[in-house]
Amino acid sequence: MTDEADTSSAAAPPPQRCGLVAIVGRPNVGKSTLLNALVGQKVSITSAKAQTTRHRITGIRTVGSVEEGGAQFLFVDTPGFQTKHSAALNRTLNRTVQGVLSDVDVVLFVVEAGRFGLDDAKVLALMPPGKPVFLIANKLDAVLRRADLAPWLKGMQERHAFAEFVPLSAKKDADVQRLLGIVQPYLPVQPWFYEQDALTDRSERFLASEIIREKLFRLTGDELPYTSTVVIDKFEEEGDLRRIAATIVVERDSHKGIVIGNGGERLKRIGSEARQELEKLMDAKVFLELWVKVRSGWADDEAHLRSYGYE
Ligand code: GDP
């Protein structure tokens, strides 16, 4: 090597950043749209490895490469903000939210640009102190008079010491890329947790659990606590046939009832919608068997819920 300037840079490997990012906000502000755009694909991902920690990873975005440095953004699952439940369960849930948020690296607090209501305020109240919280003013494309945003922004800055203010449209790719660039310096310098191509390397088995999970939560609305999980018991390939057996694991008998529905109606629908989507994704015929089981060994959580009078 003849270029002197190169010797120093060769000695220090380029920094790799990796960290946890949470996306929060009241329903309908565009959180899932933003997550999908950030991750760059429709189906979210959960890793078996990630589930052994406190967090469920719903999406991974890797920018750059090991050689050049770059960043890996791990998006974590945060339970939705529940409005239909009793105050007791809300309090339990809020604690869960705060638990998740207290050890992520960045929180993206999403609102609709120019609006801030009681529902938004309830979510903002959950932000742990000292955590970098970005104000994501989404649906900028729907704001007719941009000039009105200035006083709104000033008001927002008085509500919380936001680390960054990012007006954007989750539906505009350039905006989403810009957001990644703003988040990047907030992630700790540490090796990536996942392979660079973690997202493209998903197994069909894994895909099956994700699709069932997606249907489960979509068809139960916010009746079902997010701690419910899907376990694949059997995954067999016979030519272009997949035989899949899965168990939906819930915490309580009442949750089991929610999943099963009247006369088994809901479970049937979860199964048939999941099967149809899996057939499309795998380009194969799918036989899907679904079971619902109440998890044992959750005594602590049960006691916790009961202490708030929730049965
Ligand atoms: P979530 O409940 O917070 O996850 O919200 P969703 O991602 O489901 O979005 C709620 C609605 O807002 C959907 O109809 C989206 O298409 C719409 N939406 C999301 N982002 C934008 C945006 O940037 N601009 C506009 N105009 N609509 C958006």
Side-chain angles (χ1 to χ4, degrees):
M1 201 165 285
T2 51
D3 189 341
E4 277 176 37
D6 264 351
T7 43
S8 59
S9 66
Q16 279 189 36
R17 292 179 184 272
C18 181
L20 299 169
V21 181
I23 302 176
V24 300
R26 67 163 169 86
N28 219 34
V29 290
K31 295 181 300 296
S32 3
T33 307
L34 183 63
L35 173 67
N36 290 336
L38 285 164
V39 172
Q41 60 152 29
K42 180 184 170 275
V43 182
S44 61
I45 181 176
T46 315
S47 147
K49 183 174 155 197
Q51 270 183 320
T52 64
T53 71
R54 282 184 53 147
H55 301 289
R56 281 180 53 86
I57 305 292
T58 54
I60 301 172
R61 177 65 178 267
T62 305
V63 173
S65 66
V66 175
E67 298 76 29
E68 295 163 8
Q72 190 159 73
F73 304 78
L74 308 176
F75 297 96
V76 305
D77 196 12
T78 37
F81 200 71
Q82 317 238 341
T83 45
K84 284 185 201 161
H85 284 301
S86 68
L89 187 57
N90 270 338
R91 241 188 294 171
T92 307
L93 189 77
N94 288 353
R95 256 192 217 185
T96 314
V97 176
Q98 280 175 316
V100 170
L101 297 187
S102 65
D103 46 30
V104 301
D105 300 295
V106 176
V107 180
L108 305 181
F109 172 60
V110 186
V111 294
E112 286 180 5
R115 302 178 65 176
F116 188 80
L118 195 58
D119 280 4
D120 297 305
K122 280 187 186 171
V123 182
L124 185 59
L126 298 174
M127 299 305 118
K131 184 70 51 187
V133 178
F134 287 20
L135 178 68
I136 308 297
N138 189 29
K139 309 195 188 181
L140 188 62
D141 57 297
V143 174
L144 298 176
R145 291 157 46 99
R146 298 270 162 104
D148 290 348
L149 275 187
W152 175 79
L153 166 61
K154 198 159 168 289
M156 291 306 292
Q157 280 166 335
E158 281 159 16
R159 290 181 198 279
H160 190 92
F162 292 106
E164 303 279 351
F165 169 67
V166 190
L168 55 69
S169 171
K171 295 189 169 180
K172 288 201 177 132
D173 190 52
D175 285 2
V176 172
Q177 299 314 315
R178 184 168 55 91
L179 175 59
L180 286 172
I182 301 171
V183 174
Q184 184 158 337
Y186 286 83
L187 304 183
V189 173
Q190 60 179 336
W192 295 343
F193 291 2
Y194 298 91
E195 301 287 318
Q196 199 165 330
D197 57 356
L199 271 183
T200 52
D201 193 28
R202 289 169 304 157
S203 69
E204 287 192 346
R205 187 186 174 102
F206 176 66
L207 202 58
S209 72
E210 278 301 293
I211 297 293
I212 296 165
R213 188 170 183 275
E214 187 203 307
K215 303 301 172 202
L216 171 70
F217 284 102
R218 208 167 49 70
L219 292 171
T220 52
D222 56 7
E223 289 175 73
L224 194 69
Y226 89 118
T227 43
S228 313
T229 54
V230 173
V231 178
I232 303 295
D233 306 310
K234 183 177 88 174
F235 191 102
E236 290 170 4
E237 279 188 59
E238 297 167 18
D240 57 2
L241 174 69
R242 307 284 180 276
R243 287 184 195 278
I244 306 170
T247 305
I248 295 168
V249 186
V250 297
E251 287 169 48
R252 304 180 65 85
D253 278 332
S254 59
H255 301 159
K256 190 172 170 179
I258 292 170
V259 174
I260 291 171
N262 281 342
E265 206 45 50
R266 193 177 264 156
L267 183 62
K268 229 182 267 172
R269 200 154 154 219
I270 293 169
S272 84
E273 288 197 11
R275 182 183 52 76
Q276 283 168 29
E277 186 156 346
L278 286 170
E279 288 191 332
K280 252 187 270 158
L281 284 167
M282 297 174 178
D283 195 21
K285 186 138 191 64
V286 171
F287 284 161
L288 177 61
E289 247 182 306
L290 276 187
W291 304 86
V292 186
K293 201 171 83 181
V294 179
R295 168 177 11 219
S296 53
W298 279 68
D300 283 354
D301 284 0
E302 277 178 19
H304 186 56
L305 283 170
R306 233 178 265 127
S307 74
Y308 286 109
Y310 183 82
E311 284 292 337

